[in-house]
Amino acid sequence: MTAKTYAVSGMACGHCAGFVTDEIERLAGVTAVAVDVEAGTVIITSDRDLAVAEVRAAVEEAGYDLVGPGR
Amino acid sequence: MRSLNASDPKQFIADFFTSYMGELLRSDGDPALIVDRYHTPDVVQIADGHRMDRDKLIAHTRPVRKNRPSGRLEVHEALADGDRIAAHYTLHVRDRKRALAVEVYFFGQFTPDGRMRRAKMLTRTIPAARDGVGVDVAAENGRPAPDGREAGA
């Protein structure tokens, strides 16, 4: 189980957080998503290592931009 | 739409959001210019406890443009007092992925030329209307910006 923090731009409210969460939760292996709108971050917990490209694709599918890789 | 004082409060708030969203969606121009036509430089919006200043409003235009929402604003009630307005409205939205309705309790302050200076909002998502969404806000392009400049100017 790993948890990584990603920076996402453009989120402004709880609805934004919901849209981003919905898309990331579709990724195989993701067990939890925690969005901090104020900080512009998303903490993704997963039972496998996620490629940055697939996280970026999910964030962009929601309409937002991944601006920082997982840490 | 020029001034809150000279407008029906329900029409003012409907026109403000419809015109702002329409201008964002029908233009690919610099979003900062559009944000600035509708908001003061020191604008602060707090939506469900999330604070948005000018920079965050500009950043938020990117997902709005990408998701291309269409929708309509249904204003249930609005009261104005000087430069302040309280409104209860529902935003019916459909974008490329979903349909939703957001009920909003809004308290705002506007400049004499109709730009937003402060706003506090409490929102809740409610089931989307079965008949979908009404007018396309991108088509609502007949109204000038609050400061009187034309779209994309």
Side-chain angles (χ1 to χ4, degrees):
Chain A
M1 193 75 75
T2 62
K4 289 187 176 179
T5 302
Y6 299 82
V8 173
S9 69
M11 298 187 297
C13 62
H15 303 285
C16 298
F19 298 157
V20 171
T21 298
D22 285 349
E23 292 299 332
I24 293 174
E25 283 180 340
R26 297 176 193 272
L27 298 175
V30 170
T31 56
V33 179
V35 175
D36 184 334
V37 172
E38 298 298 318
T41 58
V42 180
I43 300 173
I44 304 174
T45 305
S46 60
D47 57 16
R48 67 179 179 90
D49 283 334
L50 300 173
V52 172
E54 60 184 329
V55 175
R56 173 173 287 110
V59 169
E60 291 183 352
E61 182 62 23
Y64 300 82
D65 290 319
L66 188 72
V67 294
R71 289 178 284 110
Chain B
M1 183 180 70
R2 284 292 186 274
S3 165
L4 175 56
N5 288 330
S7 304
D8 171 71
K10 289 176 75 171
Q11 194 64 49
F12 175 87
I13 203 72
D15 285 352
F16 178 86
F17 286 113
T18 302
S19 181
Y20 174 52
M21 291 300 293
E23 195 166 329
L24 269 180
L25 293 174
R26 72 172 181 270
S27 161
D28 290 325
D30 184 350
L33 297 177
I34 299 173
V35 167
D36 287 343
R37 276 199 286 276
Y38 288 84
H39 305 83
T40 61
D42 62 348
V43 64
V44 174
Q45 278 189 27
I46 299 175
D48 300 325
H50 300 295
R51 185 181 188 278
M52 279 184 285
D53 58 13
R54 177 180 178 273
D55 289 344
K56 285 199 170 185
L57 280 173
I58 293 169
H60 191 242
T61 63
R62 181 172 166 78
V64 169
R65 280 179 162 172
K66 183 167 183 177
N67 287 325
R68 310 295 303 174
S70 62
R72 63 185 169 88
L73 195 72
E74 179 186 2
V75 183
H76 309 292
E77 190 171 7
L79 300 168
D81 181 13
D83 62 354
R84 297 169 192 272
I85 183 169
H88 173 210
Y89 60 86
T90 299
L91 181 60
H92 301 271
V93 178
R94 180 186 298 277
D95 65 21
R96 62 194 173 89
K97 295 187 70 74
R98 63 186 72 81
L100 73 156
V102 181
E103 184 180 17
V104 182
Y105 298 88
F106 174 96
F107 295 86
Q109 181 183 25
F110 289 80
T111 60
D113 64 0
R115 288 174 297 150
M116 181 186 290
R117 175 173 284 150
R118 299 279 184 272
K120 292 183 179 177
M121 291 168 267
L122 289 175
T123 75
R124 71 182 188 108
T125 302
I126 59 178
R130 181 168 296 183
D131 61 350
V133 179
V135 299
D136 184 342
V137 293
E140 293 290 307
N141 58 6
R143 287 182 276 271
D147 68 356
R149 279 177 282 175
E150 292 300 320

